[in-house]
């Protein structure tokens, strides 16, 4: 019994001390090339230890997997310790069954280049020439050989993501990553649990899923997964067949304010009734069919809740191509997550939008809506390539109320009222300063309106010192129609034709001008009074007949200032010059006669001349 006890103690001592005197580092030169060839990465393992309890296995300390040098010289993976445990019993039948893999404090660095490629895309054994035999197993078996263990545990992990695809590099990281898997083996249904925190947004997530039963060719007949991201929850069901993933994703509510959006949203936005069918290859860059891109989402649909407004969206995604159809019965500007420079809210009713994108190209096939109490019908094309973004648009806005548009802007000295029709055909570019340069034409017509803040007829009465002659002071200029033909020339808008017809066709204004980029404007033309009004004025003031043209009293007008504060005035200088000329001729004739006639003329015309020529 003493001998048996001594032998048992020696065996226990041998077992307990074996990890300390058995040096596994000398085997690195044998197995590291195999691992490096399988990963297509250089691997550095400074310390290797053997474990006996609770399972037989090995421990790798301070392990590093270097990155593809075309991406970075910083290690792709750093691991504080990696434990691989195998079962004792299968060893007696010359089989090795991995019971668990435990990874402590891993740090993974993922990089995306400007062309969209990831440094994870070059991981794995490169394809061999057709004539070269390969002793490696199929890709599915190879992957399951790595992950096909009874338990895989990752603790205190960190994932860094560096996005270089945009003009400025952006970096994200996930901390406190915990991952646990069970039964990731052929024929079993794998269970996965993962959690972590997306920094610096403090956004927690929890993922739980069942996948299986697993097949050697990576087919997964059934997938069920739940993802909790902040206050949002996603459900996914589907399968993987023939290296293609088919997944139906649903969610009853997604609050976008919980997500790491670059600019914080001032108002909450919620997506409801989310449904999407995703189809994508799970290995390589295999396409789903001859025309499809790598990933398809067809169809997808959801409702966007914006305060009291709802926007229903559906469409499909094919790689970088997107087709979308959005409708809404009513959207109020107060519900939008934007700070708009509007004085009063505006509503858009019966919105219907059909658009598609292809890379940086956005095309709006049809946009219809009821806005400003009128009907909008437009098409547009936006090319957002990095050199000089360009746009093109055609459309019309019919039967809109002008005063509704003006109420949205800062009040001006003159306000325009009436029912209008606007048609446009424009194209242009957007330079780096963000102010578009537009080229093209637009036609505008406004009916049954008025100009508040200016009374053109009263201005004529005032100059002629004939108050009430043309109907008295009304404070407004009423018109039956206002028409304008505009030509956009980049830095300015040329008013090719401007015509304003009085309410009862008592006058007609015609002119032309220009509006500059800084909203300054200059318009000039003529105002012609209707013949009966002209005769009425001449009957009271005979000398005004010098302003007659084709039996109509004609007065030049000018508009200066800017768009929000225009200054409209009548120009009598031309009439005054003609009056002076006519008066000079009359006086010359009278001077050739009796001097008493001259005195009489001056006495009769004294007051009138003061009014015409100024005080």
């Amino acid at each position: 019994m003493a001998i048996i006890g001594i032998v048992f103690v020696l065996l226990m001592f041998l077992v307990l001390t074996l990890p300390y005197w058995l040096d596994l580092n000398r085997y690195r030169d044998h197995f590291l090339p195999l691992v490096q060839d399988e990963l297509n990465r250089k691997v550095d393992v400074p310390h290797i230890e053997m474990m006996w309890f609770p399972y037989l296995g090995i421990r790798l300390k301070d392990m590093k997997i270097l990155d593809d040098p075309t991406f970075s010289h910083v290690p792709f993976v750093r691991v504080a310790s990696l434990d691989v445990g195998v079962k004792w019993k299968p060893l007696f039948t010359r089989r090795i069954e991995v019971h668990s893999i435990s990874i402590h404090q891993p740090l993974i660095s993922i990089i995306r280049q400007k062309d969209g490629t990831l440094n994870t895309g070059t991981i794995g054994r490169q394809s061999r020439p057709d004539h070269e035999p390969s002793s490696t197993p199929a890709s599915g078996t190879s992957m399951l050989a790595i992950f096909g263990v009874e338990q895989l545990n990752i603790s205190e992990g960190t994932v860094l993501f560096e996005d270089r695809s945009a003009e400025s590099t952006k970096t994200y990281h996930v901390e406190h990553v915990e991952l646990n898997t069970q039964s990731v083996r052929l024929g079993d249904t794998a269970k996965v649990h993962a959690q972590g925190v997306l920094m610096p947004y403090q956004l927690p997530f929890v993922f739980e899923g069942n996948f299986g039963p697993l097949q050697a060719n990576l087919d997964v007949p059934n997938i069920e997964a739940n993802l909790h991201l902040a206050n949002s929850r996603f459900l996914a069901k589907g399968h993987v067949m023939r290296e293609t993933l088919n997944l139906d994703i649903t969610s009853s509510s997604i609050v976008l304010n919980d997500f790491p959006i670059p600019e914080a949203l001032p108002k909450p936005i919620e997506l409801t009734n989310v449904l999407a069918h995703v189809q994508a290859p799970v290995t390589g860059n295999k396409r789903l069919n001859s025309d499809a891109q790598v990933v398809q989402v067809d169809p997808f649909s959801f409702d966007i809740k914006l305060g009291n407004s709802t926007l229903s969206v559906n469409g499909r995604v094919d790689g970088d191509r997107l087709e979308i159809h959005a409708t809404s019965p009513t959207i109020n500007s107060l519900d939008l997550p934007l700070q708009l420079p509007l004085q009063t809210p505006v509503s858009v009713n019966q919105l219907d939008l059909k658009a598609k994108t292809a890379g940086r190209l956005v095309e709006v096939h049809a946009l219809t809506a009821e806005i400003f109490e009128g009907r909008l019908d437009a098409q547009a094309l936006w090319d957002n390539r990095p050199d000089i973004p360009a746009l093109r648009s055609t459309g019309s806005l019919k039967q809109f109320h002008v005063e509704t548009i003006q109420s949205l802007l800062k009040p001006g000295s003159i306000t325009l009222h009436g029912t209008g029709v606007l048609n446009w055909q424009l194209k242009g570019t957007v330079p780096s300063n963000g102010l578009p340069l537009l080229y093209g034409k637009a036609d505008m017509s406004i009916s049954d309106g008025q100009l508040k803040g200016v009374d053109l007829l009263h201005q004529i009465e005032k100059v002629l010192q004939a108050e009430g002659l043309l109907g008295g002071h009304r404070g407004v200029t009423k018109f039956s129609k206002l028409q304008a033909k505009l030509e956009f020339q980049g830095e300015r808008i040329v008013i090719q034709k401007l015509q304003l017809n009085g309410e009862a066709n008592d006058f007609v204004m015609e002119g032309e001008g220009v509006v500059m980029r800084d909203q300054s404007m200059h318009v000039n033309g003529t105002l012609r009074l209707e013949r009966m009004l002209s005769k009425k004025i001449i009957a009271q003031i005979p000398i005004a007949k010098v302003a007659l043209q084709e039996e109509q009293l004609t007065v030049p007008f000018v508009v200066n200032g800017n768009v929000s504060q225009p200054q409209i005035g009548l120009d009598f200088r031309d009439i005054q010059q003609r009056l002076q000329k006519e008066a000079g001729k009359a006086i010359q004739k009278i001077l050739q006669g009796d001097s008493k006639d001259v005195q009489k003329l001056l006495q009769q015309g004294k007051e009138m001349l003061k009014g015409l020529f100024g005080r």
Side-chain angles (χ1 to χ4, degrees):
M1 292 297 295
I3 294 174
I4 293 174
I6 293 172
V7 172
F8 179 77
V9 171
L10 291 176
L11 287 175
M12 290 297 298
F13 176 78
L14 178 64
V15 169
L16 293 175
T17 59
L18 184 61
Y20 298 97
W21 57 266
L22 180 61
D23 186 11
L24 296 180
N25 291 285
R26 58 181 179 176
Y27 296 101
R28 281 183 301 182
D29 295 338
H30 175 70
F31 71 79
L32 274 185
L34 299 177
V35 176
Q36 292 178 154
D37 184 56
E38 193 68 30
L39 294 176
N40 191 32
R41 290 283 194 278
K42 291 185 178 181
V43 180
D44 181 21
V45 184
H47 304 287
I48 304 177
E49 298 177 357
M50 190 170 183
M51 301 186 305
W52 289 100
F53 296 103
Y55 297 97
L56 177 66
I58 59 173
R59 172 173 294 169
L60 311 180
K61 290 185 176 181
D62 300 326
M63 186 182 73
K64 298 178 183 178
I65 301 177
L66 302 186
D67 204 346
D68 186 334
T70 60
F71 285 84
S72 174
H73 297 286
V74 177
F76 169 63
V77 175
R78 292 182 181 180
V79 176
S81 64
L82 186 150
D83 298 346
V84 180
V86 298
K87 296 181 179 180
W88 281 93
K89 187 175 180 180
L91 292 178
F92 295 102
T93 59
R94 298 185 177 183
R95 290 186 299 108
I96 298 179
E97 291 187 12
V98 178
H99 174 267
S100 64
I101 297 178
S102 297
I103 304 174
H104 183 59
Q105 291 184 344
L107 174 61
I108 304 174
S109 299
I110 301 175
I111 299 174
R112 179 163 65 180
Q113 297 283 46
K114 287 187 176 298
D115 58 0
T117 59
L118 296 170
N119 59 344
T120 57
T122 57
I123 295 178
R125 177 189 292 272
Q126 302 301 299
S127 59
R128 298 175 179 270
D130 295 338
H131 63 275
E132 182 179 344
S134 174
S135 59
T136 60
S139 60
T141 305
S142 178
M143 292 184 66
L144 287 174
I146 298 175
F147 297 103
V149 297
E150 189 168 315
Q151 291 183 3
L152 172 64
N153 301 312
I154 297 177
S155 60
E156 298 183 29
T158 302
V159 179
L160 301 179
F161 178 67
E162 183 178 343
D163 189 357
R164 303 173 181 172
S165 60
E167 294 182 1
S168 59
T169 301
K170 297 181 179 180
T171 303
Y172 308 91
H173 57 284
V174 181
E175 295 182 355
H176 309 296
V177 176
E178 305 286 337
L179 174 66
N180 306 103
T181 68
Q182 296 181 5
S183 303
V184 187
R185 296 176 299 187
L186 293 177
D188 289 352
T189 297
K191 297 181 179 180
V192 179
H193 174 87
Q195 64 185 45
V197 180
L198 180 61
M199 302 294 291
Y201 309 103
Q202 298 288 340
L203 184 64
F205 68 88
V206 178
F207 175 84
E208 294 180 346
N210 297 325
F211 307 85
L214 302 179
Q215 310 294 322
N217 59 359
L218 288 184
D219 283 355
V220 183
N222 183 52
I223 296 175
E224 294 183 2
N226 295 326
L227 173 63
H228 293 260
L229 191 60
N231 296 318
S232 302
R233 180 180 179 182
F234 303 85
L235 303 177
K237 292 184 178 182
H239 61 268
V240 175
M241 299 296 291
R242 299 177 182 177
E243 300 184 1
T244 301
L245 170 67
N246 285 273
L247 205 61
D248 290 320
I249 302 174
T250 60
S251 178
S252 59
S253 175
I254 302 174
V255 181
L256 295 185
N257 296 64
D258 294 335
F259 289 77
I261 299 176
E263 296 183 4
L265 297 174
K267 299 176 183 178
I269 298 180
E270 182 183 9
L271 305 185
T272 60
N273 303 321
V274 179
L275 172 63
H277 177 74
V278 180
Q279 192 175 18
V282 295
T283 59
N285 290 323
K286 172 192 172 187
R287 295 179 180 271
L288 303 177
N289 54 59
S290 58
D291 298 324
Q293 297 295 326
V294 174
V295 177
Q296 290 180 338
V297 183
D298 186 10
F300 69 82
S301 63
F302 53 86
D303 295 333
I304 304 178
K305 297 290 186 179
L306 302 168
N308 296 320
S309 304
T310 301
L311 181 67
S312 299
V313 180
N314 63 76
R316 63 188 300 270
V317 177
D318 188 352
D320 64 346
R321 299 177 183 178
L322 167 67
E323 295 181 8
I324 189 171
H325 182 203
T327 60
S328 175
T330 301
I331 294 181
N332 192 286
S333 60
L334 293 176
D335 297 326
L336 297 178
L338 303 171
Q339 298 295 338
L340 300 177
L342 303 178
Q343 301 297 314
T344 59
V346 60
S347 294
V348 179
N349 302 319
Q350 303 303 320
L351 174 67
D352 193 300
L353 169 67
K354 294 180 180 178
K356 69 177 183 179
T357 67
R360 293 180 176 268
L361 188 67
V362 180
E363 183 176 359
V364 179
H365 291 291
L367 171 61
T368 59
E370 294 178 1
I371 186 172
F372 308 130
E373 303 182 46
R375 184 67 179 175
L376 173 67
D377 189 348
Q379 302 82 38
L381 182 67
W382 170 248
D383 190 348
N384 192 28
R385 283 179 290 191
D387 42 5
I388 299 181
L391 58 91
R392 185 168 67 245
S393 176
T394 60
S396 65
L397 180 59
K398 299 179 179 179
Q399 302 303 314
F400 67 94
H401 287 196
V402 181
E403 58 270 24
T404 306
I405 299 178
Q406 287 202 322
S407 65
L408 305 176
L409 309 176
K410 185 178 179 180
S413 59
I414 298 176
T415 57
L416 180 63
H417 297 257
T419 302
V421 175
L422 175 65
N423 297 284
W424 69 88
Q425 188 172 359
L426 301 172
K427 62 181 180 180
T429 59
V430 182
S432 57
N433 59 11
L435 298 176
L437 297 175
L438 299 179
Y439 302 87
K441 296 183 178 181
D443 297 329
M444 183 178 65
S445 175
I446 301 175
S447 303
D448 302 324
Q450 57 185 9
L451 287 168
K452 286 188 175 181
V454 60
D455 189 342
L456 295 176
L457 296 181
H458 181 67
Q459 286 191 24
I460 296 176
E461 291 178 343
K462 187 175 181 181
V463 171
L464 296 178
Q465 293 187 354
E467 295 287 342
L469 180 63
L470 303 179
H473 178 48
R474 296 171 294 183
V476 299
T477 298
K478 296 184 178 181
F479 60 87
S480 59
K481 181 159 287 189
L482 169 64
Q483 292 178 302
K485 290 185 177 296
L486 310 175
E487 182 176 355
F488 290 78
Q489 298 180 353
E491 295 284 348
R492 63 179 187 170
I493 302 175
V494 176
I495 304 175
Q496 294 180 329
K497 180 181 179 181
L498 177 65
Q499 181 173 327
L500 181 69
N501 294 74
E503 180 182 25
N505 291 323
D506 47 1
F507 70 89
V508 176
M509 293 181 65
E510 291 182 335
E512 57 185 18
V514 64
V515 178
M516 302 304 295
R517 194 178 185 86
D518 59 359
Q519 295 191 358
S520 63
M521 63 185 304
H522 177 76
V523 180
N524 55 41
T526 57
L527 181 149
R528 299 195 309 273
L529 293 179
E530 184 263 339
R531 293 183 179 181
M532 295 302 296
L533 277 180
S534 300
K535 291 180 179 180
K536 185 177 181 180
I537 294 174
I538 294 173
Q540 295 290 329
I541 310 174
I543 199 171
K545 65 181 180 181
V546 298
L548 285 178
Q549 292 183 10
E550 298 180 356
E551 299 183 1
Q552 289 182 293
L553 189 64
T554 303
V555 182
F557 76 88
V558 63
V559 181
N560 289 314
N562 55 60
V563 175
S564 60
Q565 299 287 339
Q567 299 173 359
I568 303 177
L570 300 178
D571 188 357
F572 286 89
R573 288 175 298 178
D574 182 64
I575 297 177
Q576 290 174 349
Q577 291 174 1
R578 279 183 277 171
L579 281 172
Q580 290 174 346
K581 186 176 180 180
E582 292 295 327
K585 291 180 180 179
I587 293 173
Q588 185 177 10
K589 290 182 180 180
I590 295 174
L591 289 177
Q592 295 174 357
D594 191 349
S595 60
K596 294 181 179 180
D597 294 335
V598 177
Q599 296 297 326
K600 183 179 179 181
L601 174 65
L602 293 176
Q603 184 64 31
Q604 290 177 347
K606 181 179 179 180
E607 297 301 325
M608 182 183 66
L609 291 174
K610 283 184 179 181
L612 290 175
F613 300 142
R615 297 293 185 265

